[in-house]
Amino acid sequence: MTLSQLEVGEKGIVKEFTDLEMSVKLMEMGCLPGEEIRISRIAPLGDPIAIHVSGYQLSLRKFEASTIILQ
Amino acid sequence: MKADIRVALVGNPNTGKSTLFNILTGLNQKIGNFPGVTVDKKTGFCQLPDGRTAEIIDLPGTYSIYPKSKDESIVFSVLADKAKSLVPDLIVVILDASNLKRNLLLYTQIADLKIPVVIALNMIDVSEKAGIKIDVDLFSKKLGVPVVPISARKIMGIDQLKSTIAYANKIALQQDTIDVEVIAPQIIAQIKDDLKIDNPYFALQLAHQHETVSYLSTEESDRIENLEREFSFHSQKAQATETIARYNFINDLLYDTVKKPETAHDETVSNKIDKILTHKIFGFVIFFAILLFIFQAIFSWSAYPMSLIEDLFIWLQSIVSKTLPAGPLVSLLSDGVLAGLSGVMVFIPQIAILFALISILEDTGYMSRVTFMMDKVMRKVGLNGKSVVPLIGGFACAVPSIMSTRNIENWKDRMITIMVTPLVACSARLPVYTLLIALVVPNRNVWWIFNLQGLALTAMYLLSIVSAVLVAFVMKFILKARERGYFIMELPVYRMPRWKNVGFTMYDRSKTFVLQAGKVIIAVSIILWVLKSYAPGDTFARIDQKYSQSQYTKTMTPDSLNKVIASEKLETSYAGVFGHVIEPVIKPLGFDWKIGIALISSFAAREVFVGTMATIYSVEGDADKMESVQQKMHSATKPDTGQPVFTLAVAFSLMMFYAFAMQCASTVAVVYRETKNWRWPAAQFAYMTALAYTASFIVYHLLK
């Protein structure tokens, strides 16, 4: 299951990434393996999404979210 | 000023770095460029408690020293660049106390470079309010660096920070954070050996960034490239390993030193605001209401100071012409330099207002929500969520809007935004449009409420937005992306704007504009003045002689005589000659040589059109009076056929030309300043002029 498949309010724990380049950026922003992520909201037009991670809010496109595999 | 110690401020975006910079340096700051790159270098001076002076450098906000954008690549170059003596003696790392985990990543990277470090724990008031308990002493002990809790917004702890800077160690004393060498032992050892570097993390960074670090020689860079292959070093894999190791260190550190409640108070408040501001319907309604407000504010609030500035320059010009003896020098001063200066200064209110409002939107955290909401739409046409604001600002003036595109990190998105922003109908086009519409469109109501002239004007504004979007869409396929398009962006919690920062931004941007764009516009207006004031040979003398004959002096009032002379001089001046020269080119658009002069002279600024028309058609009375220009233009006829010059086709053809052509020296100057390469303003000028010509041609022949 990937992050992009979660609904608003649902939580998941990061397991791994499918895209190495993206994973470096995402990890720097606090999306690390073992970290809990909650979907805060989805943009009015359906993309991007906002997630709650490492104590702050991060927005990313659905495509980027689809590279995050959850436990 | 000579500084005793150089201090660099480093931190994540939204940590209050700029606020701290402003507090430390006050108005004593300078914006330049880092050597060899376009990124802004903000420096200022700060008096330390021990009497020494510190030079403070504000580095671009970044989440890591691995660069994702050009701005971010500066951080490592400055910290590592020993050759160019930019390297700071001390780094102040600013951490947001309410978001320590992510903030500490950058600290651990900086610390491992072994430059002396001080931590400024900012927003300590916010984090305390949220119930976050930080054991500052233990925190400091574990890291081995001084930690100063501050609140830059509330100006708390600043004196303590200053004395900590003053008494900071000259040698780096911080603890190692991770074992760097295990990441890539062989390549690190080899680079240390080859380049005589003693710091393993610095060596590792060179392995990653040798291509962008300018001071390495080609041989050194090639050598590192070979080492990478030899030891099969994979930059991204190494970065991933390193990042995970760093977060392990950070988690351990925070486990011992920070106690946190389940959910931060600020975050829940922010969430509630976001529910409304990014709502499916209200979100867009509020956004458009805010845009409308900005649009209104730029027009209405700026009108009064703008006319004040104009009046000031008219007064200055009259003083100059009254007190100094008449002659070409005085004319140059008053009609060239002062006229040019007033053309620059008159934009200050609009620039100040636009930047004040934009910096409020940014400061509060709303701008990132706009980006969040608009990203999907804007991405379709090759723009970015952040392009919305410059485009809307373009209704007032392209100059501040282009300066505001710096918020767009992605190079391609930013360039496209810069390229299309001047297409948006700016306020300088308004006098041209109103004059021409009033000339040819009847003032009549259609369908009860719509005024025909108003509809025509609205159409011109709509056309500008549509054309900007279309051109952006085309450029999406022309421009090659330099970096992969990311959209991984922090949504900061909502905060009150920092009014001092707003003031600084207004002052800063206005100053930059006046200094940079000012030079160019003054030069252009001086050239134009020369072209209008001189003629080949003794043409002007002969005109003076001709009109001094009694048949003219007796039949005409001195006033109208002067107008006739001025008009005839204009026709024979170099500008007039140019007008005649370009006539064959602009004839297909329905323009004659007189309009040609107006086109040429208004390449400096569009609003010059009305003034030039006034001179060419030798208007009676006040040259700025719209009615009189309009009447004269209305009665202007072609000498050969006796048909009116300004037909519906000519007027709309002209409006098309003014809608598309890049007739604005300030914009050219500012695009050059922002891109630091003449290719961009040149390409922009070329495509816009081509577009203008084509649109005018089509419209003229359709309506003829």
Side-chain angles (χ1 to χ4, degrees):
Chain A
M1 177 144 161
T2 68
L3 175 63
S4 57
Q5 290 164 313
L6 289 191
E7 301 287 328
V8 174
E10 288 183 342
K11 291 176 186 174
I13 290 172
V14 179
K15 190 178 163 209
E16 57 190 357
F17 303 91
T18 58
D19 182 311
L20 182 63
E21 189 188 345
M22 209 75 82
S23 76
V24 172
K25 174 84 182 167
L26 286 166
M27 283 200 286
E28 277 180 355
M29 300 300 283
C31 295
L32 291 140
E35 201 71 37
E36 189 184 86
I37 290 181
R38 192 183 73 236
I39 308 273
S40 301
R41 68 183 53 78
I42 295 173
L45 300 167
D47 196 17
I49 61 172
I51 60 170
H52 188 82
V53 64
S54 289
Y56 79 107
Q57 216 183 126
L58 181 73
S59 77
L60 68 169
R61 288 177 183 161
K62 277 206 162 148
F63 169 71
E64 283 135 18
S66 72
T67 68
I68 301 176
I69 298 176
L70 302 174
Q71 264 173 30
Chain B
M1 208 185 287
K2 223 188 91 51
D4 304 299
I5 170 174
R6 184 184 287 123
V7 180
L9 303 186
V10 175
N12 285 187
N14 309 309
T15 49
K17 216 161 47 67
S18 301
T19 315
L20 180 63
F21 177 76
N22 289 339
I23 293 170
L24 288 176
T25 60
L27 279 171
N28 192 357
Q29 35 181 273
K30 220 174 82 193
I31 298 182
N33 275 306
F34 288 104
V37 280
T38 62
V39 178
D40 266 350
K41 180 191 181 194
K42 265 170 89 183
T43 54
F45 292 95
C46 170
Q47 206 67 42
L48 296 177
D50 62 351
R52 290 186 302 161
T53 309
E55 183 188 11
I56 314 279
I57 306 173
D58 189 20
L59 292 175
T62 179
Y63 293 102
S64 135
I65 58 176
Y66 291 106
K68 301 288 176 295
S69 72
K70 218 168 177 187
D71 260 36
E72 292 177 0
S73 70
I74 288 305
V75 177
F76 180 69
S77 325
V78 168
L79 299 187
D81 192 355
K82 294 200 168 67
K84 279 182 188 155
S85 68
L86 273 169
V87 126
D89 304 304
L90 177 74
I91 299 173
V92 176
V93 179
I94 293 130
L95 304 180
D96 174 354
S98 57
N99 189 4
L100 274 177
K101 192 193 270 182
R102 198 203 57 219
N103 274 254
L104 273 166
L105 176 74
L106 181 65
Y107 164 79
T108 63
Q109 293 176 334
I110 300 278
D112 286 345
L113 287 174
K114 298 295 177 199
I115 300 169
V117 181
V118 166
I119 290 179
L121 208 53
N122 196 14
M123 306 195 207
I124 197 76
D125 53 326
V126 178
S127 72
E128 270 169 13
K129 222 170 127 191
I132 301 171
K133 291 195 177 63
I134 305 169
D135 185 342
V136 177
D137 291 335
L138 186 62
F139 192 71
S140 165
K141 209 176 123 201
K142 283 199 172 258
L143 295 174
V145 294
V147 177
V148 188
I150 64 164
S151 170
R153 277 162 188 267
K154 301 235 162 96
I155 317 191
M156 265 161 45
I158 302 300
D159 288 338
Q160 208 195 331
L161 180 65
K162 281 187 190 171
S163 46
T164 312
I165 292 173
Y167 302 113
N169 267 299
K170 293 210 165 48
I171 338 154
L173 294 178
Q174 59 263 33
Q175 307 281 329
D176 282 331
T177 58
I178 58 165
D179 188 357
V180 171
E181 259 151 307
V182 298
I183 297 168
Q186 293 143 312
I187 197 167
I188 289 176
Q190 203 63 49
I191 291 176
K192 274 168 76 178
D193 220 43
D194 278 14
L195 299 175
K196 308 268 174 298
I197 295 165
D198 50 8
N199 182 308
Y201 191 55
F202 186 44
L204 178 65
Q205 282 293 333
L206 284 184
H208 285 293
Q209 301 198 39
H210 63 91
E211 274 163 9
T212 48
V213 173
S214 55
Y215 69 89
L216 283 179
S217 67
T218 325
E219 297 90 67
E220 285 171 327
S221 185
D222 288 348
R223 172 86 183 116
I224 295 174
E225 191 75 44
N226 286 333
L227 289 176
E228 283 192 5
R229 238 168 284 138
E230 192 183 330
F231 299 116
S232 51
F233 174 78
H234 194 296
S235 178
Q236 279 163 358
K237 276 184 194 154
Q239 274 186 57
T241 316
E242 186 194 325
T243 309
I244 290 172
R246 290 194 180 284
Y247 271 107
N248 281 336
F249 169 83
I250 292 164
N251 283 335
D252 284 349
L253 172 74
L254 293 181
Y255 184 80
D256 294 334
T257 56
V258 178
K259 298 279 167 285
K260 222 174 164 180
E262 267 305 291
T263 30
H265 167 76
D266 252 27
E267 200 253 323
T268 37
V269 172
S270 250
N271 231 332
K272 279 181 190 153
I273 302 176
D274 263 337
K275 277 210 174 104
I276 303 164
L277 290 189
T278 62
H279 185 269
K280 266 193 171 84
I281 298 153
F282 303 132
F284 286 111
V285 173
I286 293 167
F287 174 51
F288 284 112
I290 288 174
L291 287 183
L292 208 71
F293 173 76
I294 294 179
F295 192 23
Q296 281 290 319
I298 288 165
F299 271 123
S300 54
W301 298 352
S302 67
Y304 186 69
M306 279 174 100
S307 67
L308 263 183
I309 292 171
E310 273 176 340
D311 289 349
L312 175 79
F313 275 94
I314 291 170
W315 177 75
L316 276 177
Q317 279 173 315
S318 75
I319 295 256
V320 165
S321 53
K322 264 182 212 149
T323 51
L324 298 173
L329 262 178
V330 174
S331 168
L332 172 66
L333 182 64
S334 126
D335 303 333
V337 177
L338 277 180
L341 266 180
S342 100
V344 177
M345 302 296 182
V346 84
F347 284 119
I348 293 176
Q350 290 193 335
I351 288 179
I353 291 169
L354 184 66
F355 273 104
L357 294 174
I358 285 177
S359 82
I360 290 172
L361 291 187
E362 257 163 25
D363 243 29
T364 49
Y366 182 69
M367 201 70 106
S368 47
R369 271 72 182 184
V370 171
T371 312
F372 178 66
M373 286 196 293
M374 297 299 283
D375 181 68
K376 194 176 178 185
V377 185
M378 301 308 270
R379 202 177 348 149
K380 289 216 166 96
V381 294
L383 293 165
N384 182 299
K386 291 191 177 177
S387 314
V388 175
V389 176
L391 287 183
I392 298 305
F395 279 125
C397 178
V399 172
S401 306
I402 285 171
M403 282 155 75
S404 73
T405 59
R406 278 189 217 154
N407 307 314
I408 304 171
E409 296 95 356
N410 185 281
W411 176 84
K412 183 177 170 181
D413 294 350
R414 179 169 176 233
M415 284 305 152
I416 296 182
T417 311
I418 289 177
M419 293 298 269
V420 302
T421 297
L423 286 171
V424 178
C426 68
S427 58
R429 287 170 172 107
L430 196 60
V432 180
Y433 290 168
T434 42
L435 175 67
L436 290 170
I437 288 174
L439 207 58
V440 292
V441 178
N443 189 1
R444 199 173 64 213
N445 278 10
V446 282
W447 306 311
W448 300 294
I449 47 166
F450 295 108
N451 179 285
L452 218 51
Q453 292 185 338
L455 278 180
L457 192 62
T458 313
M460 294 309 293
Y461 273 88
L462 282 178
L463 173 78
S464 75
I465 277 288
V466 171
S467 61
V469 168
L470 286 180
V471 172
F473 188 69
V474 173
M475 285 193 176
K476 180 182 163 182
F477 298 104
I478 296 173
L479 278 187
K480 293 274 171 290
R482 282 189 184 176
E483 63 241 30
R484 196 164 151 187
Y486 284 114
F487 187 81
I488 298 174
M489 183 190 72
E490 181 181 0
L491 290 179
V493 289
Y494 288 104
R495 294 210 175 93
M496 276 302 285
R498 296 155 290 183
W499 299 110
K500 243 188 178 156
N501 262 17
V502 175
F504 271 120
T505 313
M506 278 170 74
Y507 170 79
D508 240 36
R509 296 292 150 99
S510 310
K511 196 177 94 180
T512 315
F513 165 70
V514 170
L515 294 181
Q516 300 288 332
K519 285 178 206 152
V520 174
I521 200 166
I522 288 174
V524 172
S525 34
I526 290 176
I527 294 169
L528 275 176
W529 173 85
V530 171
L531 291 181
K532 279 198 285 195
S533 315
Y534 291 93
D538 60 345
T539 333
F540 279 5
R542 263 185 281 147
I543 293 169
D544 281 333
Q545 210 177 13
K546 176 174 144 199
Y547 286 101
S548 61
Q549 288 163 9
S550 59
Q551 60 185 98
Y552 296 109
T553 46
K554 275 185 189 146
T555 52
M556 293 165 85
T557 63
D559 224 32
S560 57
L561 190 60
N562 280 339
K563 296 284 180 196
V564 172
I565 294 173
S567 131
E568 201 163 322
K569 278 187 175 173
L570 182 78
E571 178 166 1
T572 52
S573 71
Y574 286 106
V577 172
F578 267 121
H580 281 289
V581 167
I582 68 160
E583 201 178 35
V585 182
I586 55 173
K587 211 160 187 148
L589 313 181
F591 307 155
D592 61 4
W593 69 270
K594 286 181 177 174
I595 298 175
I597 298 178
L599 285 186
I600 289 176
S601 66
S602 58
F603 261 99
R606 296 181 179 89
E607 56 271 45
V608 173
F609 173 80
V610 179
T612 314
M613 280 288 141
T615 325
I616 295 171
Y617 290 104
S618 60
V619 182
E620 306 287 335
D622 185 5
D624 294 328
K625 227 168 151 198
M626 198 76 94
E627 295 84 29
S628 48
V629 189
Q630 199 186 314
Q631 280 159 15
K632 278 288 170 183
M633 285 168 71
H634 195 72
S635 50
T637 50
K638 288 180 190 158
D640 45 349
T641 58
Q643 298 290 314
V645 175
F646 290 96
T647 59
L648 188 77
V650 171
F652 271 92
S653 168
L654 251 181
M655 278 197 274
M656 285 301 148
F657 199 87
Y658 276 82
F660 289 110
M662 182 144 156
Q663 294 159 296
C664 182
S666 317
T667 309
V668 176
V670 90
V671 170
Y672 170 66
R673 195 192 117 74
E674 292 298 314
T675 59
K676 274 289 174 298
N677 188 335
W678 278 112
R679 266 174 45 207
W680 292 104
Q684 191 170 35
F685 188 87
Y687 100 77
M688 287 180 71
T689 309
L691 214 56
Y693 196 90
T694 316
S696 290
F697 184 84
I698 293 170
V699 164
Y700 178 65
H701 287 275
L702 280 180
L703 294 177
K704 197 171 68 171

